Amino acid sequence: MAIVVVSTGRAIPPRRVTNEDLAALIDTSDEWIRSHTGIGARHIAADDVASSDLGYEAALNALQYALDQGLVAEKSLKSLIETIDLIVLGSSTQDYYSHPSTACIVQNKLGAVNAAAFDITEACSSFIFAFETARALLGAGNRRRALVIGAEVLSKITNWDERETCVLFGDGAGAVLLEQKEGGGGIIRSVLGSDGSGWEHLILRRGGSRNPWKKGEVVEQVPAIEMNGHAVYNFAVKVIIKTIKTMLDEEGIELHDLDLIIPHQANGRIIQAAGKRLNIPEEKFYTNMEEYANTSSASIPIALDECNRSGRIKRGDLVMTVGFGGGLSYGGNLIRW
Ligand code: UT7
């Protein structure tokens, strides 16, 4: 049996904030942001939009695409939704602290009454971890279809006064419909890894059991992402190289067998540095951080959807995802599309 990608979708908030827009508010410039990151703009969700709203929209978009393209036998959205056995949602910005899971909120909005729904929280690596979790659960038993979603409203955990971090992030969501089918191909293997010694390099300190809110406390600053940019950068280059090499070696394939690599869209320089070390031509990597910035767990599924719909990825192509994030964590998936 194979676990194959049936369809993809995405949700991008309409409000587009350019580097120039940010330069009008804080001490930064389009030139600095582009030259240091490759980012040109980001999309920011409205105040009343949470991750589940974007995750729901992306999931619906993937399901509608499956119906429109005749990729499933079902003829109505309702009948298709009722076949979903699992919803696995990756996010660093869940709707609610601790519970309920954002996946449960999406399940309710969709009316996916037959799906078990849960979140994976592994920062920017969440989608890669969620994808492998769904693959393993579909492969293990009597489940046929899974929605894997990456959904973020990072704008709500960003310190908009801190130029070192606020220029990097954006909001959005992507979704993939997976199905268990007879035959080969689909998700071939994944690499998942963690290095907890770097737990403090990317962190949202407040709100958990280590630093709970205290009665009567006055909040001076919205809890926001804190980051050791250099440490994350060095880790990212190292683990991208390691993940790509591991997947190629374990599968016994060469770089030229890969049609496309979809990296986590954090920083173009990270991708260039890793690519240079592995002798991978730049065009082998798909990048879209110029338009969306770093959308954490949403960056890979948004890119997958763009490539799928534009024909950049075609049936039968060999596609690799690779990413890294807080934890610190890293991983990748190898997919015969
Ligand atoms: O999903 C994972 C999320 N995180 C990451 O992927 C982050 C990985 N790290 C990076 O991408 C890079 O380290 C950054 C983009 C965050 C920073 O790039 P850098 O080339 O390492 O710059 P830097 O931190 O060494 O800063 C260089 C200078 C500093 O000024 P001085 O001390 O040399 O005068 C910064 O204060 O650039 C300054 N700077 C800025 N200037 C204009 C930092 N941020 C900005 C900014 N605009 N937005």
Side-chain angles (χ1 to χ4, degrees):
M1 295 299 266
I3 312 300
V4 301
V5 173
V6 175
S7 182
T8 58
R10 66 182 185 271
I12 307 294
R15 186 176 159 220
R16 184 170 185 267
V17 176
T18 64
N19 292 344
E20 285 87 357
D21 293 333
L22 289 183
L25 301 172
I26 53 164
D27 181 17
T28 189
S29 65
D30 179 54
E31 194 283 317
W32 191 97
I33 302 170
R34 279 184 193 274
S35 60
H36 285 73
T37 68
I39 293 166
R42 69 283 299 140
H43 289 247
I44 302 295
D47 283 351
D48 61 350
V49 168
S51 289
S52 69
D53 299 316
L54 295 178
Y56 164 71
E57 204 184 313
L60 214 51
N61 189 240
L63 296 167
Q64 193 60 55
Y65 188 71
L67 288 173
D68 294 347
Q69 300 291 312
L71 304 170
V72 288
E74 287 75 13
K75 296 289 173 227
S76 76
L77 203 50
K78 185 171 185 296
S79 57
L80 175 56
I81 286 171
E82 284 174 1
T83 67
I84 297 166
D85 300 294
L86 273 179
I87 298 175
V88 189
L89 184 144
S91 184
S92 319
T93 49
Q94 297 95 320
D95 285 21
Y96 296 98
Y97 163 66
S98 175
H99 52 272
S101 72
T102 304
C104 276
I105 297 170
V106 171
Q107 184 227 20
N108 182 50
K109 283 186 176 178
L110 284 172
V113 289
N114 297 313
F118 59 94
D119 291 351
I120 297 275
T121 62
E122 197 64 0
C124 301
S125 308
S126 297
F127 181 81
I128 288 168
F129 277 62
F131 206 64
E132 172 61 2
T133 303
R135 185 205 63 78
L137 288 172
L138 289 181
N142 56 348
R143 302 175 197 94
R144 186 167 145 242
R145 282 183 177 148
L147 268 174
V148 188
I149 302 168
E152 302 284 6
V153 281
L154 293 165
S155 58
K156 296 193 181 180
I157 57 162
T158 296
N159 179 350
W160 288 100
D161 298 324
E162 189 187 82
R163 67 178 185 173
E164 285 79 5
T165 48
C166 78
V167 302
L168 303 176
F169 301 110
D171 301 338
V176 171
L177 178 64
L178 295 179
E179 184 175 290
Q180 189 191 61
K181 273 194 174 152
E182 299 268 346
I187 307 173
I188 298 169
R189 68 173 61 242
S190 299
V191 165
L192 303 180
S194 304
D195 178 2
S197 70
W199 65 273
E200 227 171 345
H201 292 325
L202 253 174
I203 188 165
L204 188 68
R205 278 184 206 278
R206 292 308 311 271
S209 59
R210 181 67 62 194
N211 294 300
W213 301 112
K214 296 186 184 72
K215 192 176 172 192
E217 185 177 345
V218 176
V219 181
E220 303 280 351
Q221 171 64 53
V222 174
I225 303 168
E226 292 171 39
M227 184 180 75
N228 177 343
H230 288 190
V232 177
Y233 186 103
N234 293 335
F235 174 79
V237 175
K238 194 177 77 184
V239 296
I240 288 177
I241 292 170
K242 179 177 166 178
T243 303
I244 294 176
K245 272 180 151 173
T246 305
M247 278 198 274
L248 293 178
D249 290 351
E250 285 181 350
E251 204 48 36
I253 55 174
E254 306 284 338
L255 264 172
H256 61 75
D257 295 317
L258 290 177
D259 292 289
L260 196 63
I261 303 174
I262 300 199
H264 170 46
Q265 307 286 317
N267 184 331
R269 278 167 55 217
I270 291 175
I271 298 164
Q272 281 158 9
K276 212 167 165 191
R277 292 268 300 278
L278 288 170
N279 256 329
I280 305 177
E282 268 187 48
E283 55 277 13
K284 195 76 127 184
F285 290 100
Y286 182 78
T287 59
N288 63 11
M289 80 276 293
E290 218 244 326
E291 179 60 25
Y292 304 122
N294 177 352
T295 57
S296 189
S297 66
S299 86
I300 288 175
I302 288 172
L304 283 173
D305 184 51
E306 285 191 330
C307 293
N308 185 30
R309 290 185 191 222
S310 68
R312 182 82 191 266
I313 306 177
K314 296 174 285 303
R315 284 284 160 215
D317 279 359
L318 194 57
V319 179
M320 185 185 280
T321 69
V322 60
F324 58 90
L328 295 172
S329 58
Y330 63 95
N333 319 106
L334 186 64
I335 311 155
R336 179 68 70 187
W337 202 258

